[in-house]
Amino acid sequence: MDEIDRNILRELQNDGRLTNQELAQRVGLSASPCMRRVRQLELDGVIQGYRAVVDPEAVGRGFEVLVSIEVRRDRETVEAFEAALQDIPDVIEAYRLFGSPGCLLRIAVADLAAYERLWIERLTALAGVTEVNSQIIMKRIKEPEGLPVDAGPPGDRNR
């Protein structure tokens, strides 16, 4: 991956709706080579998809909670737990962690009452769950904006 590819990634993370012509102009290429590079980045799995950023309030999901969950740590239980999370649309992100807690969820619902229902009816009822701790998000300080794509050795935090 060279600097042009990195520039393409920066521009597309900033605005995924750029036309190929606009993108090519921004990265200093003509349209055809720019399109070839984008397609190659897609084929290589570097670009994994394109999404719209939706205002949670506009879709009735302005109440967000970070939930740490402890699950019994045997393979069958963990796999069943992770599969069950796929069927809960309110869980918008889920991570298995090393150490404690074993799992971290980001949940988006309408309000506290909706979260309480989810907590009682779904989260605490999942097989293998031994503990559920909730942290209500007061304010989002930094929005996800994409990944830094600067060149540099792995672990170089100054770039």
Side-chain angles (χ1 to χ4, degrees), residues 67-71 81 101-105 123 126 129 131-133:
V67 179
S68 59
I69 295 184
E70 287 294 348
V71 178
F81 171 79
C103 187
L104 181 65
L105 311 179
L123 297 180
L126 291 170
V129 169
E131 189 175 335
V132 178
N133 292 300

Side-chain angles (χ1 to χ4, degrees), residues 67-92:
V67 179
S68 59
I69 295 184
E70 287 294 348
V71 178
R72 281 193 322 272
R73 297 191 188 222
D74 62 86
R75 181 178 179 170
E76 186 177 303
T77 301
V78 170
E79 288 175 354
F81 171 79
E82 290 177 0
L85 288 180
Q86 303 303 317
D87 296 327
I88 304 174
D90 303 313
V91 177
I92 57 176

